[in-house]
């Protein structure tokens, strides 16, 4: 599970001899020096690093972990340069585009696979919905967006990824050191080999991609076997997604989002208030939002009485405006992006109806490659849509 903001490479290693030759005439720029220093630091072994040694001592003193075992783990692990490259900010920032973002997640391939996933796991989805109040299609949609229903749970060793980010990535070292701590506690509690667990480059684990801190706090043993396994147990994954949303305030049977028209002069100020619902529907109506009259009937606001105005911006299309209710905000606790939350909501609606934009979709094998595009379809797509940019 990720924590990106709503708005959504390691420096190349230089040849030592080359730098040495240049330094006879002039010192490299400060930025270049820092880049080289960071690249060199990234290759240093973990064992013997004072920060690593301090971490080992702390884990032993605070939690009674075996220091010798931790020394062994760090001795068998090296910093992963691919992880550092993946976590680094992009060198070129593209404009946000809801149209491009949506097409990656709300499409026939992901909906077809999702229908198969829901059929194969109908019992646990039904049980999770009954226990936690989260609709089964929302649970399936989150898993679909995160890993395409378990097809892409991550190939990195979690210990290696978290150690790399905790001790070789200064901008967020404190955060990832905390996640490494939580990961080691989790593997001990569940009898797992910490060097064998795999996940994303940022240390997210399993079918629903929980970071270790969230895993320890919210994940559940939904299959009742005495162990929480979000990679090997679809039941644990389904139950944990629902438990997470319920713990963050999911309201059973309440609305999620609703498209609206809004007065152009009022839109930006409302959007700037953020995605946490804080205005009543009557207040929003008074500020130029075309709230459906049916929602303004006496007593109706007691059900969905607060909302926020959400803008879905695309350079190639008019901005869409939606009312985001409490449940929409709850989804953003999984990934703090309005684009993410809306993609989950719209994928869930497609799974519920079995159609994408009104076109029926048949179930398809999970992980099956997309069908070859016809030339007319490809031409039509190129006219208004491009490749999706991560983030939102």
């Amino acid at each position: 599970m990720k924590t990106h903001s709503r708005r959504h490479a390691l420096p190349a290693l230089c040849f030592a001899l080359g730098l040495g030759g240049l330094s006879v005439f002039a010192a490299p720029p400060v930025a270049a020096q820092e880049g080289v220093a960071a690249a060199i630091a990234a290759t240093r072994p973990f064992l013997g690093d004072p920060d690593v040694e301090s971490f080992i001592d702390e884990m032993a003193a605070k939690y009674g972990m075996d220091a010798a075992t931790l020394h062994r783990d760090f001795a068998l692990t090296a910093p992963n340069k691919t992880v550092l490259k993946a976590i680094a900010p992009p060198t070129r920032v593209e404009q946000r585009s809801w149209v491009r973002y949506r097409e990656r997640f709300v499409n026939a391939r992901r909906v077809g696979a999702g229908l198969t996933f829901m059929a194969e796991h109908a019992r646990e989805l039904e049980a999770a919905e009954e226990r936690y109040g989260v609709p089964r299609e929302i649970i399936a949609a989150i898993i679909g967006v995160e890993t395409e229903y378990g097809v892409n749970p991550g190939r990195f060793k979690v210990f290696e990824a978290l150690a790399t980010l905790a001790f070789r990535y200064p901008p967020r070292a404190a955060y990832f050191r905390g996640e490494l701590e939580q990961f080691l506690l989790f593997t001990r509690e569940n009898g797992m080999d910490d060097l064998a667990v795999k996940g994303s480059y940022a240390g997210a684990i399993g079918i629903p991609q929980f970071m270790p801190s969230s895993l320890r706090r919210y994940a559940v043993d939904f299959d009742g076997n005495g162990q929480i396994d979000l990679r090997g147990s679809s039941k644990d994954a389904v139950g944990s997604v629902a438990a997470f949303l319920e713990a963050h305030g999911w309201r059973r049977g309440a609305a999620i989002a609703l498209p609206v028209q809004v007065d152009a002069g009022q839109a930006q100020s409302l959007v700037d208030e953020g995605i946490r619902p804080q205005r009543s529907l009557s207040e929003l109506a008074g500020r130029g939002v075309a709230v459906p009259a049916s929602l303004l009937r006496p007593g109706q606001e007691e059900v969905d009485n607060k909302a926020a105005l959400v803008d879905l911006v695309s350079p190639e299309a008019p901005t869409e405006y939606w009312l985001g209710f409490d449940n929409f905000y709850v989804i953003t606790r999984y990934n703090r992006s309005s684009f993410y939350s809306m993609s989950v909501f719209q994928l869930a609606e497609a799974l519920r109806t079995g159609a994408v934009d009104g076109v029926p979709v048949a179930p398809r094998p999970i992980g099956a490659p997309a069908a070859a595009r016809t030339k007319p379809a490809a031409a039509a797509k190129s006219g208004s849509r491009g490749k999706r940019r991560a983030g939102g």
Side-chain angles (χ1 to χ4, degrees), residues 38-75:
I40 293 173
T43 65
R44 289 200 321 267
F46 287 124
L47 208 57
D49 183 317
D51 290 336
V52 173
E53 296 295 333
S54 174
F55 176 80
I56 292 173
D57 292 342
E58 182 180 327
M59 295 298 289
K62 192 174 179 180
Y63 302 110
M65 289 197 167
D66 182 57
T69 299
L70 290 176
H71 275 100
R72 180 211 65 186
D73 290 348
F74 279 106

Side-chain angles (χ1 to χ4, degrees), residues 210-387:
F210 274 37
M211 290 300 291
S213 57
S214 290
L215 200 160
R216 289 195 71 228
R217 186 171 182 180
Y218 302 111
V220 295
D221 173 22
F222 208 56
D223 61 12
N225 71 348
Q227 183 186 69
I228 296 174
D229 181 5
L230 297 190
R231 190 177 181 109
S233 170
S234 61
K235 289 183 179 180
D236 286 358
V238 164
S240 295
V241 169
F244 178 93
L245 295 177
E246 190 245 14
H248 282 80
W250 187 271
R251 298 172 60 192
R252 187 187 294 263
I256 300 174
L258 181 73
V260 291
Q261 300 295 318
V262 59
D263 181 83
Q266 300 274 8
Q268 193 57 52
S269 62
L270 290 172
V271 168
D272 289 343
E273 292 179 355
I275 58 176
R276 184 168 199 145
Q278 54 184 309
R279 289 190 178 273
S280 69
L281 297 184
S282 57
E283 282 182 303
L284 289 165
R287 293 284 299 275
V289 179
V291 179
S294 61
L295 297 182
L296 296 174
R297 291 197 303 262
Q300 182 63 33
E301 287 197 66
E302 295 178 7
V303 179
D304 300 308
N305 64 335
K306 299 286 186 182
L309 186 66
V310 176
D311 64 333
L312 302 177
V313 179
S314 302
E316 64 272 51
T319 297
E320 295 181 28
Y321 291 99
W322 289 68
L323 290 181
F325 297 98
D326 286 332
N327 284 345
F328 184 86
Y329 179 74
V330 169
I331 297 173
T332 69
R333 301 307 86 195
Y334 207 103
N335 182 312
R336 301 189 181 196
S337 159
S338 58
F339 279 17
Y340 177 90
S341 187
M342 187 57 72
S343 69
V344 167
F345 171 61
Q346 293 194 7
L347 176 57
E349 286 296 287
L351 292 173
R352 184 178 64 82
T353 62
V356 177
D357 299 330
V359 179
V361 175
R364 60 180 293 140
I366 296 172
R373 298 185 185 275
T374 62
K375 289 184 178 180
K381 179 181 175 183
S382 65
S384 61
R385 299 186 180 188
K387 292 184 178 179

Side-chain angles (χ1 to χ4, degrees), residues 17-293:
L17 289 178
L19 283 176
L22 288 173
S23 65
V24 173
F25 302 101
V30 172
Q33 291 177 337
E34 291 176 349
V36 173
I40 293 173
T43 65
R44 289 200 321 267
F46 287 124
L47 208 57
D49 183 317
D51 290 336
V52 173
E53 296 295 333
S54 174
F55 176 80
I56 292 173
D57 292 342
E58 182 180 327
M59 295 298 289
K62 192 174 179 180
Y63 302 110
M65 289 197 167
D66 182 57
T69 299
L70 290 176
H71 275 100
R72 180 211 65 186
D73 290 348
F74 279 106
L76 293 172
T77 304
N80 188 316
K81 292 185 286 185
T82 302
V83 165
L84 291 171
K85 183 176 181 179
I87 202 73
T91 56
R92 183 170 65 92
V93 179
E94 297 180 17
Q95 283 185 293
R96 296 168 64 237
S97 171
W98 164 242
V99 168
R100 294 196 301 269
Y101 188 93
R102 179 185 188 271
E103 72 177 357
R104 183 187 180 194
F105 300 110
V106 187
N107 55 52
R109 185 192 75 217
R110 211 167 292 238
V111 171
L115 294 172
T116 298
F117 178 86
M118 292 184 70
E120 291 178 350
H121 303 288
R123 285 189 177 182
E124 53 256 45
L125 286 165
E126 180 181 3
E129 180 174 349
E130 181 178 347
R131 179 169 178 178
Y132 298 107
V134 181
R136 64 198 73 187
E137 62 267 17
I138 289 288
I139 301 169
I142 284 180
I143 293 173
V145 168
E146 291 292 337
T147 62
E148 278 204 71
Y149 314 102
V151 172
N152 302 308
R155 60 182 177 83
F156 294 87
K157 291 183 178 180
V158 172
F159 181 87
E160 178 183 83
L162 291 175
T164 298
L165 296 170
F167 300 109
R168 296 294 181 269
Y169 186 62
R172 301 195 68 193
Y175 168 75
F176 284 109
R177 181 166 169 158
E179 292 299 328
L180 178 59
E181 175 182 312
Q182 294 298 307
F183 172 70
L184 290 169
L185 292 172
F186 169 75
T187 54
R188 183 175 71 173
E189 291 163 355
N190 287 272
M192 297 177 174
D193 178 358
D194 54 275
L195 295 183
V197 179
K198 291 187 177 182
S200 77
Y201 69 83
I205 297 168
I207 297 169
Q209 293 287 278
F210 274 37
M211 290 300 291
S213 57
S214 290
L215 200 160
R216 289 195 71 228
R217 186 171 182 180
Y218 302 111
V220 295
D221 173 22
F222 208 56
D223 61 12
N225 71 348
Q227 183 186 69
I228 296 174
D229 181 5
L230 297 190
R231 190 177 181 109
S233 170
S234 61
K235 289 183 179 180
D236 286 358
V238 164
S240 295
V241 169
F244 178 93
L245 295 177
E246 190 245 14
H248 282 80
W250 187 271
R251 298 172 60 192
R252 187 187 294 263
I256 300 174
L258 181 73
V260 291
Q261 300 295 318
V262 59
D263 181 83
Q266 300 274 8
Q268 193 57 52
S269 62
L270 290 172
V271 168
D272 289 343
E273 292 179 355
I275 58 176
R276 184 168 199 145
Q278 54 184 309
R279 289 190 178 273
S280 69
L281 297 184
S282 57
E283 282 182 303
L284 289 165
R287 293 284 299 275
V289 179
V291 179

